[in-house]
Amino acid sequence: MADGDTTGQEARRSRGGRQQRRDARVGVEAGIHRPYIVRGIPTYDILSEESLQAIEATADRILAEIGIELREDHEAMRLYKAAGAEVTSETEDVWRIRFAPGMLREILKTAPAEFTQHARNPANNVRIGGKNVVFAPSYGSPFVMDLDKGRRYGTIEDFRNFIKLAQSSPWLHHSGGTVCEPTDVPVNKRHLDMVYSHIRYSDRAFLGSITAAERAADSVEMARIVFGEGFADQNCVVMGNFNTTSPLVIDGVTAAGIRTYAEANQGSIHLPFLLGGAVAPLTIAGMVAQGFAESMASCALTQLVRPGSPAILASFFSSMSLKTGSPTFGMPEPAIGSLAMGQLARRINLPLRCAGNFSTSKLPDGQAMWQSMMSMMSAIQGGANYVLHSAGFLDGLLSMSYEKVVMDTDICGALHAYLDGMAVNEDTLAFEALNELGPGQHLFSTQHTLRHYETAYWDSALDDNQPWETWDEQGGIDYAQRANTRWKKILREYEAPALDQGIDEALQDFMARRKASMADMWY
């Protein structure tokens, strides 16, 4: 059924009234939008002390006996060596860095266990670490898709649309970073348009570029224009999301980018992307030990550059189909790995990024949603503090889906309620609700029900809970079709948050000068 179609006057009135009430509730929720979640339920500690010690010992052994290969960053090599690491030259620009057991944990003691990333709207500042949970949209897809146009390369228009959808959701807290690749903008200049789009179309915190040290520096400089140089020097106003090159390699681009953010006192996420059987062991315990070792080595570089700069321990675990060699996302074994990483992060007192709404499905269908929930719940139960890929992830991260963005943000809304836990007090125990009318009487009209009926339960923006007959009469619209209608409505009604004209002009002037200084590069 097309957006706006009806199947009769009565159905239109019924659906319109229900949708208006639902939209009003969503509007209220947006008005009291929480900038982040404070966990009200405990984490699920899956591993025993003995098992945790065994994983830590294996990570130490990896770091001490095998080591990390560092490529093409002499300054990073110098910093590791000065800190006491054993450095062996393999070529002029490649070194093997080995760390004595416990060395990295000692270095990481200066990293904050909790920190604030500031947004240009202070009401949207996020607190990362501790009991805090921050949801951000998916990151890095070269393709986009929707039910109308199918799968295609992403453009800067798509990029802006996804920022607008995220900004419009009360259930996301962070604007993210490369929500899709804008392939219609030159590779060496697109970071400028991406960072500007986050600043222009959202007033939430965001991630900058990491694909080259100079692009990282541009991202930091644009954040300084928004926040002021002095404020940015003392506060986290932008972060970078860095991947190690698994197994056990930190390349020069990554190391230089990490140093750029750390020198500016900005945050960084340190993420091994581990595919079991390809760049990590098949077994989850071995994958966790490797990921822990790689992320610690990467995080430690920030503290060698500027002690106290924010660093986030991270993991991205994926299994593999041993029949085809294809990655499989949203599987149970990597979800268990995320739970283990939560325990390890708490033991070294660092914030954690892991998991998300992962799926290898090619459509926003049942497979997409069960895989997403399997993965996302591991982040929730495991104690993740920053959850990238909270909305839009399809096709094994190759595609960002318009429909799945709003489907996933609906899940994020449910998880707000889940993470709140259960309040137990005189009002919630509700003795009066049963006592008012006594046995055998329904509770619809009791004072307790009337006080709480609008706020007692989280309300989905997409679910259809009507009887079959009503749903069928109204066109039998499925979940993906409802999501298609919803993202279009959100974009139609989107209004950009105000941006100071002077800041906007300064950003555009900086971008124009940077773009004029280099020829276009498309690879």
Side-chain angles (χ1 to χ4, degrees):
M1 177 184 268
D3 185 18
D5 287 353
T6 59
T7 55
Q9 189 67 24
E10 289 304 312
R12 178 162 55 248
R13 278 202 298 268
S14 172
R15 183 169 64 254
R18 183 179 299 109
Q19 189 60 50
Q20 286 168 9
R21 289 192 296 275
R22 173 178 284 175
D23 287 348
R25 284 193 295 274
V26 171
V28 169
E29 291 155 358
I32 57 171
H33 160 69
R34 281 183 275 176
Y36 54 90
I37 304 168
V38 179
R39 170 183 294 276
I41 60 174
T43 56
Y44 180 34
D45 292 345
I46 192 171
L47 295 179
S48 67
E49 177 66 21
E50 181 182 12
S51 295
L52 288 166
Q53 288 180 5
I55 289 173
E56 289 173 332
T58 301
D60 280 345
R61 190 178 177 195
I62 290 168
L63 291 164
E65 297 181 24
I66 304 172
I68 299 292
E69 184 174 285
L70 174 67
R71 300 175 182 171
E72 299 177 330
D73 189 331
H74 286 256
E75 177 60 14
M77 181 273 292
R78 185 193 68 77
L79 288 167
Y80 282 127
K81 187 173 183 178
E86 177 188 323
V87 177
T88 304
S89 295
E90 298 190 344
T91 69
E92 184 180 352
D93 291 318
V94 177
W95 308 271
R96 187 71 63 89
I97 315 291
R98 293 180 174 88
F99 306 91
M103 176 183 168
L104 293 181
R105 289 181 189 79
E106 193 63 31
I107 292 171
L108 288 169
K109 286 181 178 179
T110 58
E114 222 178 296
F115 67 93
T116 297
Q117 184 183 358
H118 292 263
R120 69 178 181 88
N121 177 358
N124 289 330
N125 292 351
V126 291
R127 189 75 180 159
I128 299 174
K131 291 187 175 182
N132 309 308
V133 184
V134 174
F135 293 151
S138 197
Y139 181 108
S141 300
F143 299 101
V144 302
M145 63 167 67
D146 61 60
L147 295 184
D148 304 302
K149 300 178 183 178
R151 186 176 187 255
R152 59 200 183 275
Y153 281 107
T155 66
I156 192 63
E157 180 183 5
D158 292 308
F159 187 92
R160 292 167 182 158
N161 283 343
F162 287 127
I163 291 173
K164 293 173 184 178
L165 290 172
Q167 170 72 13
S168 300
S169 173
W171 309 124
L172 295 179
H173 315 109
H174 196 280
S175 195
T178 307
V179 286
C180 71
E181 281 288 349
T183 59
D184 55 339
V185 182
V187 170
N188 61 328
K189 300 178 181 180
R190 66 180 58 159
H191 66 287
L192 298 165
D193 293 282
M194 290 193 289
V195 171
Y196 176 76
S197 295
H198 280 295
I199 295 167
R200 178 67 185 86
Y201 299 107
S202 174
D203 60 3
R204 296 178 179 173
F206 62 92
L207 301 177
S209 178
I210 49 86
T211 52
E214 62 271 20
R215 297 170 199 167
D218 286 343
S219 301
V220 170
E221 187 57 34
M222 292 177 76
R224 286 173 175 150
I225 291 170
V226 175
F227 291 92
E229 188 168 350
F231 185 87
D233 183 64
Q234 297 301 313
N235 298 277
C236 177
V237 296
V238 64
M239 295 199 299
N241 183 66
F242 294 94
N243 289 102
T244 54
T245 306
S246 302
L248 305 175
V249 174
I250 300 176
D251 65 61
V253 171
T254 296
I258 291 169
R259 290 192 295 102
T260 299
Y261 278 87
E263 285 165 2
N265 198 31
Q266 300 309 303
S268 51
I269 303 164
H270 301 262
L271 186 76
F273 187 160
L274 300 186
L275 177 59
V279 298
L282 281 170
T283 49
I284 297 301
M287 188 184 294
V288 170
Q290 177 188 332
F292 188 49
E294 289 189 26
S295 189
M296 281 199 300
S298 183
C299 285
L301 182 56
T302 66
Q303 303 309 296
L304 300 179
V305 171
R306 184 165 174 170
S309 57
I312 299 177
L313 191 79
S315 67
F316 192 124
F317 298 144
S318 175
S319 50
M320 182 174 68
S321 170
L322 299 181
K323 295 177 182 178
T324 65
S326 299
T328 49
F329 291 98
M331 295 293 108
E333 295 87 358
I336 294 294
S338 292
L339 295 177
M341 282 297 296
Q343 289 181 264
L344 292 166
R346 288 187 288 280
R347 285 166 76 86
I348 62 170
N349 212 23
L350 283 182
L352 174 68
R353 180 212 144 179
C354 70
N357 273 311
F358 295 171
S359 178
T360 48
S361 181
K362 311 308 178 287
L363 293 171
D365 57 10
Q367 177 186 335
M369 301 319 288
W370 86 254
Q371 289 178 336
S372 291
M373 280 303 291
M374 174 67 73
S375 180
M376 190 68 166
M377 285 303 291
S378 72
I380 299 307
Q381 304 285 33
N385 304 112
Y386 182 81
V387 188
L388 201 58
H389 304 306
S390 292
F393 188 122
L394 267 189
D395 187 24
L397 189 53
L398 290 175
S399 299
M400 183 76 169
S401 162
Y402 279 83
E403 285 77 26
K404 194 159 182 289
V405 166
V406 294
M407 293 161 79
D408 285 342
T409 54
D410 216 43
I411 288 176
C412 290
L415 291 173
H416 275 69
Y418 184 82
L419 279 160
D420 281 343
M422 180 173 65
V424 179
N425 54 50
E426 185 175 354
D427 184 48
T428 63
L429 287 169
F431 175 86
E432 63 168 290
L434 293 169
N435 189 51
E436 183 174 331
L437 298 176
Q441 303 297 314
H442 69 69
L443 276 66
F444 294 137
S445 64
T446 65
Q447 291 303 304
H448 187 273
T449 298
L450 293 174
R451 283 202 312 273
H452 291 287
Y453 79 96
E454 288 189 309
T455 58
Y457 304 131
W458 170 77
D459 190 27
S460 167
L462 287 176
D463 285 358
D464 188 310
N465 300 310
Q466 303 174 98
W468 170 277
E469 291 77 11
T470 307
W471 171 79
D472 188 49
E473 288 171 1
Q474 293 180 357
I477 304 171
D478 68 20
Y479 194 57
Q481 290 172 306
R482 294 196 296 275
N484 179 268
T485 297
R486 183 159 180 77
W487 70 256
K488 293 173 182 174
K489 179 177 186 294
I490 292 170
L491 289 181
R492 282 198 308 271
E493 297 176 355
Y494 165 84
E495 294 183 10
L499 176 62
D500 179 87
Q501 184 177 351
I503 290 175
D504 195 14
E505 290 173 354
L507 287 167
Q508 294 197 50
D509 177 66
F510 175 81
M511 293 165 62
R513 287 186 283 107
R514 289 292 292 130
K515 288 182 177 182
S517 71
M518 49 188 154
D520 290 355
M521 293 176 60
W522 290 97
Y523 56 90

